[in-house]
DNA sequence: TTCCCACTGTGATAGCCATCACACCTGCAT
DNA sequence: ATGCAGGTGTGATGGCTATCACAGTGGGAA
């Protein structure tokens, strides 16, 4: 299976600093971009962990133990039904925070988090995190905003599944949603998409074979083009039209 | 069309106090249950509005102007696709906050909010709300938790749509999800469900006729019972089994 | 090289269910 | 009482697509 996700990143975990206070990527990461004072406290309560590729960070149904901040690497978030169907919710990238909503609600984790490559992750236990929030008002505001963004992403998933009538529509919408969010900020009509067809199918709510057929058809119809693992959306308008 | 939602409430808007500080229902409402000081400030920035039945509070795609707290009445939250399909996200009840995520993200409202009966709503403009948040750390924490709960609800929607293979599965799952969340706290296997089949279909991602057929079948198979507008889930285990 | 394994491509088939069509039922307004 | 409008019950039909089956492909390991 391909092991790198939506937008190209190095296949191995980059070295990350010992402490968040020294992290140079902080500024561009919504959650991490905290006031000095808060970051220092965060460094006290956070634990730095390295996960090998293909390991489970936490599992759907486990009572939430705390939150996980992705420092490097990619992590697949997926939920499974009793009869073995899988829904891939998203591929988390550095800067994403996992387990926030379950931790705040004191509910079981909604999904299983599995590393797709070696990952560096900082984790904070539930109790410490809640205390951290109540001490730093700014952090609560950041957190609210981070969850708001996650909400929006899941909303798009639900919307796509409910409103994009056909498999073609859902796949087209998925690619458009990706092009729009561009993995980090700016929309880009060309992006690297190294998921397998099976994984795409699990995100679009369809089957592996249908994804294969549709991608080929999109290419024949010249609404997309593929060069290796990268995809260009040639005619976004045409694509919108297929959605429903 | 029936005008009362999932769990029985008076058909007309109850009288609500002039100011939140005097509201007796505050304690049991996650968002409203704020410290004294915050409530007073909230009363200064909030505007009390009465909406008649079947009026639009805000529309999908409008740039977020602010948040809306439901004081009385029921409000349908729905998204529509270009070709006229409708997804009903939820029926909001008193205590729910609308437009939070769009306001925090500074994005357009994700859904259209339409009153199902006369409603009392308190609204706060975006700018005032953000300032309010930055002044009261506690409120940010509350807000984060409220959004976390909304996240969980949408997640269940997405999950249901993606993983509950058949229409029967999705409808069964929808009823189970409702029974579990019980509209306010405790799970109840019997609840009032006065939505039309059309509306149910729009929540379960299926068609009106299929909902009719399935409800009848569920009743024939004695997994549910109906008395007027109320539904009892007789055999929840059997129901889980249908989900997938 | 050779094997192996995961991934991709493609046809055939069958089943689900959206859609159309129409009957019926109820409450409500005229 | 009459008609109307919105909601519900039910059959017939066709299209989409999941699923099965199997062939082709390409890269990594031995």
């Amino acid at each position: 299976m391909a092991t790198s996700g939506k937008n190209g990143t190095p296949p191995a975990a980059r070295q990350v600093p010992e402490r968040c206070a020294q992290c140079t990527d902080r500024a561009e990461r919504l959650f991490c971009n905290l006031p000095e004072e808060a970051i220092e406290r965060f460094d006290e309560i956070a634990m730095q962990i390295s996960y090998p590729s293909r390991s489970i960070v936490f599992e759907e149904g486990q009572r939430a133990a705390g939150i996980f901040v992705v420092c490097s690497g990619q992590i697949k978030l997926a939920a499974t039904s009793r009869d073995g169907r899988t829904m891939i919710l998203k591929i988390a990238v550095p800067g994403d925070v996992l387990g926030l909503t379950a931790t705040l609600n004191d509910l079981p984790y909604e999904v299983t988090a599995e590393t797709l490559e070696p990952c560096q992750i900082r984790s904070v236990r539930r109790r410490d995190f809640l205390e951290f929030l109540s001490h730093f008002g700014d952090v609560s505001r950041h957190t609210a905003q981070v969850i708001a963004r996650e909400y929006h992403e899941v909303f798009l998933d639900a919307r796509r599944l409910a409103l994009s009538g056909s498999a073609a529509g859902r796949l087209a919408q998925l690619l458009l949603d990706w092009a729009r969010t561009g993995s980090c900020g700016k929309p880009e009509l060309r992006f690297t998409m190294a998921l397998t067809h099976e994984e795409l199918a699990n995100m679009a709510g369809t089957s592996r074979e249908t994804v294969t057929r549709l991608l080929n058809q999109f290419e024949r119809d010249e609404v997309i083009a593929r060069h290796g693992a990268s995809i260009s959306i040639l005619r976004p308008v045409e694509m919108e039209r297929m959605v429903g």
Side-chain angles (χ1 to χ4, degrees), chain A residues 160-162 164-175 204-206 242-243:
Chain A
R160 187 170 54 241
L161 290 165
S164 308
S166 63
R170 288 193 300 276
L171 183 58
Q173 183 70 67
L174 181 63
L175 298 177
T206 182
M242 314 181 57
V243 171

Side-chain angles (χ1 to χ4, degrees), chain A residues 114-151:
Chain A
E114 177 188 359
T115 60
L116 294 177
E117 47 186 12
C119 290
Q120 301 279 328
I121 295 179
R122 232 168 271 263
S123 86
V124 178
R125 299 176 49 190
R126 179 180 144 79
R127 173 178 305 238
D128 294 336
F129 183 65
L130 294 181
E131 195 205 18
F132 179 56
L133 282 190
S134 57
H135 277 41
F136 297 91
D138 281 8
V139 177
S140 290
R141 223 167 71 259
H142 267 243
T143 301
Q145 197 165 348
V146 169
I147 306 180
R149 201 166 59 175
E150 290 181 6
Y151 174 95

Side-chain angles (χ1 to χ4, degrees), chain A residues 10-47:
Chain A
R14 275 169 307 184
Q15 204 50 35
V16 304
E18 291 281 313
R19 321 181 74 249
C20 293
Q22 298 153 0
C23 178
T24 56
D25 296 325
R26 248 174 62 208
E28 63 196 36
R29 295 181 181 170
L30 187 47
F31 180 82
C32 304
N33 192 11
L34 302 174
E36 202 57 37
E37 190 187 21
I39 274 288
E40 276 169 17
R41 174 67 184 145
F42 187 85
D43 269 324
E44 288 171 24
I45 59 179
M47 197 162 67

Side-chain angles (χ1 to χ4, degrees), chain A residues 97-111:
Chain A
V97 187
L98 315 183
L100 258 185
T101 58
T103 296
L104 283 179
N105 279 325
D106 197 11
L107 287 175
Y109 292 121
E110 290 101 349
V111 294

